Amino acid sequence: MQPVSSQWILYQRAQRRRSDRPALIFAITSALGWRSAFFVLGGGGVLWFSVWVLSTASPKLEPVWHDDPREGDAPKEKLARIIVQIIRSPRFLPVLVVAVLINPCLYFSVNWLPTYFAQQHGLLPGSQLGWILTAIYLGVGVGNFLCGAGVLTLTRRGRPLAAARRTVFLLATVPLSICAAVPLMRLSPAVFALVAVNIGLGIWVAMYLTMVQDVSAAHVSTALGLLSGCGSLAGAVAMWAVGRVTQHTHSFALPMAAFSVSAVISAIAGWAASRETSLKGGTV
């Protein structure tokens, strides 16, 4: 089994790359054409894999990639029992609420903002829309960074880890609540508002991953799979609902209001999860 911190770091890096990918695609497409996006991203993947293989070949990382031989003879826990333990955790329900609300918000941002700009502001696919979406989606990556940097700064100033996390995700909820007002804005203010929204969303995505660790420190991967699977299912249903609502109302007012409400409810659930958790020695 990988150490908890290693599992979280690897997953967070994958999540950050996934959230930054739309921005890279739009930027490359605008500058070089859509065919170039395939070659540039594919070449970047090959380069990243090569660097990753070389940088992780150190003997010091041997415990990360291989099970401890001393654990080979230990009895294996049944998956059903592990899942029951996770569900019985007092932190499971509030973190589940965060998962089924924050994941749909991320999916909405990635999948529906291009349609929003096309329908509400008349922007057709092209360089202008490409650069707007690039700026917005880069906000998610900035938020990922600010989450860790904010918690680290607060803890170095003497705040307990749990309190630092609460402060960061409560502050991140403020820009997310702005989303409800975006349909009332002109193009330029809407773009700036959505950049702020996605920065807050990036903070929340990273914070959600830290909350998963506190559900089950011994079975982080299983807890992450269970919670994120529920979040993905909720996201799929929510994206279908957004399509139905916008088709009938010809407006994004209701989906964006639901986005803001989801953020507030997630903040309440996150507060409940952090109050239940003893985070001494936790991972930022």
Side-chain angles (χ1 to χ4, degrees):
M1 180 184 299
Q2 294 183 26
V4 172
S5 59
S6 299
Q7 289 179 324
W8 178 80
I9 290 170
L10 291 172
Y11 187 87
Q12 188 191 40
R13 286 176 179 172
Q15 186 78 7
R16 186 180 298 125
R17 288 195 298 273
R18 185 176 69 177
S19 63
D20 290 345
R21 198 172 301 149
L24 290 173
I25 292 173
F26 280 114
I28 295 169
T29 301
S30 298
L32 303 174
W34 66 269
R35 290 181 177 85
S36 300
F38 290 93
F39 294 103
V40 173
L41 292 178
V46 172
L47 178 62
W48 171 260
F49 178 75
S50 302
V51 173
W52 177 79
V53 169
L54 294 174
S55 62
T56 57
S58 171
K60 294 181 179 180
L61 295 177
E62 190 75 15
V64 175
W65 308 118
H66 300 282
D67 292 336
D68 190 338
R70 294 172 296 180
E71 297 179 356
D73 298 330
K76 301 293 184 181
E77 289 188 83
K78 292 184 178 180
L79 179 60
R81 181 176 297 178
I82 293 174
I83 292 176
V84 170
Q85 291 175 358
I86 292 172
I87 294 175
R88 287 181 175 176
S89 168
R91 307 165 189 87
F92 176 78
L93 184 57
V95 177
L96 177 64
V97 172
V98 173
V100 300
L101 293 177
I102 291 300
N103 274 285
C105 289
L106 179 62
Y107 296 167
F108 173 80
S109 177
V110 172
N111 291 287
W112 281 101
L113 288 188
T115 305
Y116 159 75
F117 282 109
Q119 291 185 359
Q120 303 299 311
H121 296 283
L123 294 182
L124 299 177
S127 60
Q128 183 183 14
L129 180 58
W131 286 112
I132 287 174
L133 293 175
T134 297
I136 290 172
Y137 292 140
L138 283 175
V140 179
V142 172
N144 289 163
F145 170 79
L146 290 178
C147 178
V151 173
L152 187 61
T153 299
L154 291 173
T155 53
R156 285 182 173 177
R157 293 185 176 183
R159 289 184 66 84
L161 182 55
R165 288 181 179 177
R166 282 197 297 269
T167 300
V168 170
F169 73 67
L170 288 176
L171 289 175
T173 306
V174 175
L176 289 181
S177 63
I178 298 174
C179 192
V182 168
L184 305 176
M185 300 178 183
R186 294 180 177 273
L187 178 59
S188 294
V191 171
F192 284 107
L194 288 171
V195 170
V197 166
N198 276 265
I199 290 174
L201 186 58
I203 293 174
W204 256 112
V205 169
M207 189 62 67
Y208 157 69
L209 297 177
T210 68
M211 292 178 179
V212 172
Q213 290 186 100
D214 302 320
V215 173
S216 176
H219 304 288
V220 178
S221 297
T222 306
L224 181 61
L226 182 61
L227 290 163
S228 295
C230 294
S232 296
L233 179 60
V237 174
M239 295 308 95
W240 170 82
V242 170
R244 297 282 293 181
V245 169
T246 54
Q247 185 178 15
H248 283 82
T249 64
H250 304 287
S251 170
F252 279 81
L254 186 57
M256 288 186 168
F259 185 108
S260 296
V261 172
S262 297
V264 174
I265 297 174
S266 294
I268 297 172
W271 182 277
S274 64
R275 289 187 63 186
E276 291 282 354
T277 305
S278 176
L279 292 174
K280 293 181 180 180
T283 303
V284 176

